[in-house]
Amino acid sequence: DPDADDVDVVEDDAAGGVETQFATTYSIPANFFVANKFLIVFAGFEYIATASPPTLQLALRLGSTQMYKSDLTQPDGNKTRGFGSVFILSGTAAAGASVAVLCSPLVNDLKNSLLLPGPNTITYTHNVATNGALTLNFTAKWASNPANTHTVGLRSLIVCSVN
């Protein structure tokens, strides 16, 4: 069991085919997202994979709204690798029950060390209830569960408010 002592990992046996939330989250107060108000989110991950790992997909959520979803990515086998992501979340209007929040990702690809404009497989703009408190969280989904031999961990989460 790689990294069994670490509490903020998503193992393939527990999450094969299921989107599973990391334990580390960030609380956003009600009415935070207004026009020209930004959160910059820095997330550092590490994966540990033995031979032939299944594909992996990561997502960012504000409450129950999925703001970002990565492509299905095949991590390199027999490797331990760190990678990171930066997201800019932007408010667009006064807080309300259904207000557009923008998600601009910059993602460090699992296969190389270049910081690239992140492939977001869902829309850029999402309507979110910004007049209530929100929880920012990341999830991981392994495509299958081949016996607890692969993990992905959220190693750091830094959130900065701008404006």
Side-chain angles (χ1 to χ4, degrees), residues 16 27 44 46 52 72 96-97 134 142 155 161-162:
S27 296
E46 177 187 47
S52 304
L72 286 170
L134 293 165
W142 291 97
R155 301 298 185 205
S161 172
V162 180

Side-chain angles (χ1 to χ4, degrees), residues 1-22 46-49 54-56 58 139-155:
D1 181 16
D3 241 3
D5 60 328
D6 196 320
V7 297
D8 206 7
V9 298
V10 174
E11 297 178 341
D12 58 11
D13 68 332
V18 176
E19 184 181 20
T20 303
Q21 182 178 313
F22 290 101
E46 177 187 47
Y47 75 81
I48 299 172
T55 56
L56 172 64
L58 298 172
T139 63
K141 180 170 77 171
W142 291 97
S144 61
N145 51 345
N148 192 23
T149 54
H150 317 288
T151 63
V152 61
L154 178 58
R155 301 298 185 205

